[in-house]
Amino acid sequence: MICYFDTSFILSAVLEERPQEDHAAWDQAGERLASDLLRFECWAGLRQAALQEPEVRRDEWTSNRGTQIDRFLDGMTFKSIDDAIERIVRRENGLAGCRTLDAIHIATALYFAPHLDEPLVICSFDRRLRSAAEGLKLQTHPSLGDGAHEERRG
């Protein structure tokens, strides 16, 4: 299985927001893809989450979870946000209702898709991103029919 991962999926695992079995797609993925945007969003989301931790242990908490983020990122292939991604955002009417960062994630998945030997699965816990992706005929995990809830990050 070839998977494209968004921020809600990675941060959910690092911040332990969902049961571990909800993240099984990570282990099932033969290839793991993402936008460079993921790197920035993960660290910004981690810093935001750290504000909820007591100040006396915040640095250690952030360091431990930062190490987890690095492990996830080390196992991925990234696509830079470049002219090719911009062209997809410009031409794809199905991105009209997306938040900007979601449009970049989906455009990146659309960039990868024709270069792969099997269908791409977008792994996200963000309901709006999954809805937009499914509207463009991309597979998602979990699919909207699975009843997965939207995460606050992503």
Side-chain angles (χ1 to χ4, degrees), residues 127-149:
R127 180 172 290 281
R128 289 182 285 187
L129 187 143
R130 290 192 330 264
S131 178
E134 288 182 10
L136 291 165
K137 308 297 185 227
L138 293 167
Q139 292 181 356
T140 64
H141 172 81
S143 70
L144 290 176
D146 289 345
H149 67 283

Side-chain angles (χ1 to χ4, degrees), residues 103-122:
I104 293 169
H105 277 297
I106 294 169
T108 306
L110 289 168
Y111 171 85
F112 279 124
H115 305 287
L116 305 173
D117 294 333
E118 59 186 87
L120 179 67
V121 178
I122 296 179

Side-chain angles (χ1 to χ4, degrees), residues 32-46:
R32 300 175 183 118
L33 307 173
S35 168
D36 270 343
L37 176 61
L38 179 73
R39 299 172 196 265
F40 300 99
E41 286 185 306
C42 281
W43 282 100
L46 178 64

Side-chain angles (χ1 to χ4, degrees), residues 83-120:
D83 293 343
I85 302 304
E86 181 184 356
R87 282 191 297 277
I88 295 169
V89 171
R90 285 174 173 251
R91 81 159 187 260
E92 192 55 62
N93 290 333
L95 297 174
C98 287
R99 297 170 290 184
T100 303
L101 300 181
D102 290 350
I104 293 169
H105 277 297
I106 294 169
T108 306
L110 289 168
Y111 171 85
F112 279 124
H115 305 287
L116 305 173
D117 294 333
E118 59 186 87
L120 179 67

